[in-house]
Amino acid sequence: MKDSNIFSVSKPKSFIILALWLILIAFAGKFIIKDALPYFGFEEEVLGRFLNVRWWLIGHVTGGILALLIGPFQFWNAFRTKYLNTHRWLGRIYLIAILIGSISSTSLAWTSALAIHWTWAIALQALAIPWFITAFMAYRAIRKKRIQQHKEWMIRNYVVTFAFVSFRWLVDLPFLVELGNFIEIGPTLAWVSWVFPLLITEIILQWNKK
């Protein structure tokens, strides 16, 4: 089976893949600067409804930011080959970030999210579960030295990690905003932000397998 290295310049269409990565990184950067970093100012008007659960929010945001930033380096074949020990340490930090982020997400789901609507709480909890499970499966695979499985689970996990960016992008689209208020469209968009990307990812991963 072909190797699942995302940043492999020896593969056909590598420039297209690189361009897609640059677009994803740009989206992630915008999300981090515009939507995530302001919370670290701990200003009451920024925290809003998260004021009483601010430390859970900070845990969630910190875990998400670390995962978003570390992910591209973990998939970069040249970096991984040259700096294998760094790759391993970044992997450990990445998994710890996911653990902290998913636990914090669960707490937020049944506090601030539940205060908005139970469907929003379930949507956030449903996102936290695959976020944690895909990371755990990647960890389990590498512990058993199943390198290919590890790579594939890490790809799935990063797709779920990117759901936070996708959701923020979707919820700001004018034509979607016009469909209803946040309670009416928010939970659906939360599901859409990871279910369909993960389905597409799975099709790509399994397409050429025998």
Side-chain angles (χ1 to χ4, degrees):
M1 185 185 128
K2 295 181 178 180
D3 191 10
S4 296
N5 294 322
I6 302 299
F7 290 161
S8 180
V9 295
S10 63
K11 289 185 176 182
K13 303 180 182 178
S14 60
F15 289 108
I16 295 176
I17 295 174
L18 179 60
L20 290 174
W21 265 103
L22 291 176
I23 292 172
L24 292 178
I25 291 171
F27 269 99
K30 179 182 178 182
F31 167 79
I32 291 171
I33 294 171
K34 179 178 178 289
D35 299 303
L37 289 182
Y39 288 122
F40 289 91
F42 292 97
E43 297 177 5
E44 186 172 343
E45 58 270 24
V46 176
L47 289 170
R49 61 188 176 87
F50 296 111
L51 184 63
N52 294 329
V53 290
R54 56 188 176 276
W55 292 112
W56 288 115
L57 175 67
I58 292 301
H60 167 66
V61 172
T62 301
I65 289 176
L66 285 174
L68 284 171
L69 293 177
I70 291 173
F73 291 96
Q74 296 301 87
F75 294 117
W76 186 359
N77 186 43
F79 177 86
R80 183 173 65 247
T81 302
K82 187 174 182 179
Y83 304 104
L84 184 57
N85 194 48
T86 301
H87 169 79
R88 289 168 176 165
W89 276 104
L90 286 176
R92 294 184 182 103
I93 296 172
Y94 183 96
L95 292 174
I96 292 172
I98 298 297
L99 177 63
I100 294 173
S102 58
I103 291 174
S104 299
S105 296
T106 297
S107 178
L108 291 172
W110 302 108
T111 52
S112 61
L114 186 60
I116 294 177
H117 200 266
W118 65 269
T119 56
W120 179 232
I122 290 177
L124 287 189
Q125 181 64 83
L127 175 55
I129 291 173
W131 198 25
F132 173 80
I133 289 178
T134 52
F136 172 77
M137 292 300 292
Y139 171 76
R140 182 176 182 272
I142 199 62
R143 292 291 295 176
K144 291 180 175 293
K145 302 186 185 302
R146 298 172 181 172
I147 306 300
Q148 188 60 38
Q149 288 184 15
H150 170 72
K151 292 176 182 178
E152 293 180 0
W153 280 112
M154 285 299 294
I155 291 171
R156 295 181 185 104
N157 180 262
Y158 197 73
V159 169
V160 178
T161 299
F162 212 83
F164 299 101
V165 180
S166 303
F167 171 78
R168 182 57 60 182
W169 175 68
L170 288 170
V171 83
D172 287 337
L173 290 177
F175 75 92
L176 290 179
V177 172
E178 294 174 358
L179 294 178
N181 58 41
F182 183 82
I183 295 177
E184 292 172 327
I185 67 173
T188 300
L189 293 181
W191 284 93
V192 169
S193 67
W194 70 271
V195 171
F196 287 104
L198 194 59
L199 173 62
I200 294 170
T201 300
E202 196 62 32
I203 292 173
I204 294 172
L205 290 175
Q206 303 299 329
W207 189 260
N208 290 322
K209 284 188 177 181
K210 296 181 179 179

